[in-house]
Amino acid sequence: MFIGEGTEHIEDAHLQYAKAKSASEDVHRLPSNSATWLSKQHLPLMWLWSAEGRLDSSAISEPVEPEWKQDMFKHGTVLRRKKDWCDSGEENDRNVHVCQHFQHNVKYLKITCDQSLKANRKNFARILHNLSETATNLLGLSMVCTGQNPYFYSGQDLLQSVNNLFKANSYLHLRHIDFRKMPFTLDDGTIQLVSSRSPCLESLFINNKTFVCKVTSETLKEALRHCPNLSALGLFYTSLTEAVLAELLNAKRLPLKLLQLHCERMDQFNPTISEEMWKTLAKRHQTLSVDIELDHTVPAKKIPQILQPAIPVASIELNTFTFMVEQVSFISRNYHSTLKRAVLQTTSSDKLNQALLQLASCCLSLEEIHCYCVVSVAVVQAFLLHCPRLCKYTLKTSKEPHPWLPEILQ
């Protein structure tokens, strides 16, 4: 099983050590990510790079020469990024032990867990528990759940493991936290713990697309005060208020570069952000990009209130499965200078084709367009003609079996 994710920044400690060990040893470089690695003949018992850029754990079970292992991994920069898999279905499996052995050197940790099995969830908790001893070295933490939730399962054991990690450390140097692929309801308590114990945070993503958001605007304001360096945020739109945005206008804050918003059914009960506030925010943070996703539960009458002309939208997903002609025309008129990516889950019609032709002729900076309904040949040709930066698109002129795969342009 592959358990480690390769780093983009393996330092020259490998190279320096290899030269000191033997001047005759060859050192190869992977051109894809410029990471230094030692060939199998020189390091037969260490972790080996695979073609996918992961570390092969099969060599771990072999008797590693102690001097080599200690010298190679005593450098804090040798192993920078690691990806652990909790999907074996066996408690206390090899991944847990390997992670514990090398956790002192890991700076960016991503845990992938198939939460459908109880043993995997226990391994997830054990990894985080072991990590609590050295968590002050971590700079990035990401958690991904890949399985189906058991009936009536709400992920409380996994969330409690996350809370325990932060409770065990009064101060962490974490810069990046990503909960987007952890599909359990986050609450004020978790976000308060995360933000109060990680004041150096630069990015925080809690837009995990659950049915209910329990993170209040008051908690968000408190988190922004704790973390003045936050420059990338992923939130539920229902948690966003003008008071939260006012906190982002503080002159002492660093520029906000990315704001991701997930919109769902709860937004119908809350007031939307005014056009004036978006103008003020865009003026204060002139490099700001906003990504907006509207799911199928957002009431149609609420969409025009959410999509304000002054929002610097870089990516928009309209996963509404309703008629979107007016919204596509609105995007063409107001987001043409900032839009780079658009995703539409809508219904085919001649009017939609005309709106898409307008979108292609106005949004010249588009890099991706994905429309999951049949469109005309003219629409495909228009995007290829008018959008020179287009690198990926899903535009079908006839019905095909799902899933529809995108076309990749070189």
Side-chain angles (χ1 to χ4, degrees):
M1 181 198 303
F2 290 123
I3 63 169
E5 182 75 12
T7 173
E8 299 173 357
H9 306 287
I10 298 291
E11 304 293 344
D12 285 340
H14 294 73
L15 184 57
Q16 295 168 3
Y17 185 86
K19 287 181 177 179
K21 189 75 177 178
S22 172
S24 62
E25 292 179 342
D26 294 325
V27 176
H28 302 275
R29 287 183 178 270
L30 286 176
S32 59
N33 59 6
S34 300
T36 305
W37 68 294
L38 301 179
S39 63
K40 188 170 183 177
Q41 61 178 336
H42 304 135
L43 270 181
L45 304 178
M46 295 304 295
W47 288 14
L48 305 175
W49 286 91
S50 73
E52 293 85 358
R54 294 178 179 176
L55 292 168
D56 190 345
S57 65
S58 60
I60 295 297
S61 59
E62 303 178 30
V64 180
E65 187 179 342
E67 178 189 354
W68 278 65
K69 182 170 71 173
Q70 292 173 10
D71 287 349
M72 287 294 290
F73 285 91
K74 72 181 179 182
H75 302 284
T77 55
V78 170
L79 187 62
R80 291 285 297 280
R81 295 177 186 267
K82 190 174 189 303
K83 184 175 182 179
D84 278 304
W85 298 80
C86 299
D87 58 1
S88 67
E90 301 177 2
E91 280 192 44
N92 206 26
D93 68 1
R94 178 188 294 178
N95 290 344
V96 177
H97 296 294
V98 171
C99 184
Q100 184 176 15
H101 192 81
F102 296 114
Q103 65 189 20
H104 293 79
N105 300 59
V106 175
K107 298 298 183 184
Y108 301 91
L109 178 65
K110 181 177 183 179
I111 306 176
T112 300
C113 176
D114 178 358
Q115 78 277 20
S116 62
L117 298 177
K118 187 175 181 179
N120 294 338
R121 301 197 296 270
K122 286 188 175 181
N123 290 338
F124 178 100
R126 190 169 286 112
I127 288 174
L128 288 184
H129 174 75
N130 294 339
L131 189 67
S132 63
E133 302 173 3
T134 58
T136 52
N137 297 327
L138 265 186
L139 297 180
L141 180 62
S142 174
M143 285 151 285
V144 177
C145 293
T146 60
Q148 293 291 329
N149 288 336
Y151 288 120
F152 309 111
Y153 177 70
S154 60
Q156 291 304 305
D157 51 348
L158 301 188
L159 291 173
Q160 187 59 50
S161 300
V162 175
N163 289 344
N164 291 341
L165 171 66
F166 288 91
K167 287 179 180 178
N169 295 272
S170 59
Y171 183 90
L172 295 172
H173 295 91
L174 277 166
R175 302 290 193 274
H176 312 284
I177 297 178
D178 191 346
F179 291 130
R180 284 175 292 187
K181 299 296 184 180
M182 197 173 180
F184 310 115
T185 303
L186 300 170
D187 59 18
D188 285 343
T190 298
I191 303 307
Q192 287 167 356
L193 261 177
V194 167
S195 60
S196 62
R197 305 298 171 91
S198 308
C200 299
L201 273 180
E202 297 173 8
S203 67
L204 175 63
F205 295 98
I206 62 174
N207 48 324
N208 58 356
K209 303 181 183 180
T210 53
F211 290 118
V212 179
C213 173
K214 291 187 176 181
V215 180
T216 63
S217 58
E218 290 300 319
T219 294
L220 285 183
K221 288 193 296 182
E222 184 180 338
L224 290 174
R225 296 188 187 112
H226 282 307
C227 309
N229 296 332
L230 274 172
S231 60
L233 274 172
L235 308 172
F236 281 80
Y237 188 89
T238 189
S239 299
L240 192 68
T241 63
E242 297 205 356
V244 173
L245 292 183
E247 191 67 36
L248 289 169
L249 296 177
N250 190 320
K252 296 181 180 179
R253 298 193 64 86
L254 292 180
L256 183 65
K257 298 178 180 179
L258 175 63
L259 178 61
Q260 292 185 345
L261 297 174
H262 177 70
C263 308
E264 38 80 47
R265 63 185 180 88
M266 295 301 294
D267 297 330
Q268 64 182 311
F269 304 113
N270 299 313
T272 54
I273 307 300
S274 68
E275 171 77 356
E276 291 72 21
M277 177 56 77
W278 281 117
K279 287 181 179 179
T280 304
L281 186 70
K283 184 177 180 180
R284 165 67 178 84
H285 302 283
Q286 298 185 8
T287 59
L288 174 63
S289 293
V290 179
D291 298 347
I292 298 181
E293 179 182 1
L294 293 91
D295 75 9
H296 66 283
T297 64
V298 179
K301 63 181 181 181
K302 195 72 175 182
I303 296 176
Q305 301 173 38
I306 294 174
L307 299 179
Q308 295 292 335
I311 305 176
V313 174
S315 174
I316 188 164
E317 294 190 29
L318 300 177
N319 299 318
T320 59
F321 299 94
T322 58
F323 292 104
M324 286 284 107
V325 174
E326 292 184 7
Q327 283 73 25
V328 173
S329 298
F330 176 88
I331 292 169
S332 300
R333 293 192 305 269
N334 296 283
Y335 304 148
H336 56 86
S337 61
T338 58
L339 190 66
K340 295 182 179 179
R341 179 176 178 271
V343 179
L344 306 174
Q345 297 270 10
T346 184
T347 305
S348 301
S349 69
D350 291 337
K351 290 184 177 180
L352 177 65
N353 285 331
Q354 292 300 316
L356 289 173
L357 289 172
Q358 181 188 12
L359 184 72
S361 62
C362 294
C363 301
L364 306 183
S365 298
L366 264 182
E367 298 173 1
E368 293 186 34
I369 174 69
H370 306 280
C371 185
Y372 292 97
C373 67
V374 174
V375 299
S376 67
V377 174
V379 168
V380 181
Q381 294 174 341
F383 281 103
L384 294 175
L385 176 64
H386 297 297
C387 304
R389 300 180 185 177
L390 193 67
C391 58
K392 185 186 295 186
Y393 68 92
T394 306
L395 299 168
K396 305 295 183 180
T397 56
S398 61
K399 289 186 177 181
E400 297 180 7
H402 287 278
W404 286 7
L405 301 178
E407 298 288 338
I408 309 295
L409 299 178
Q410 299 297 329

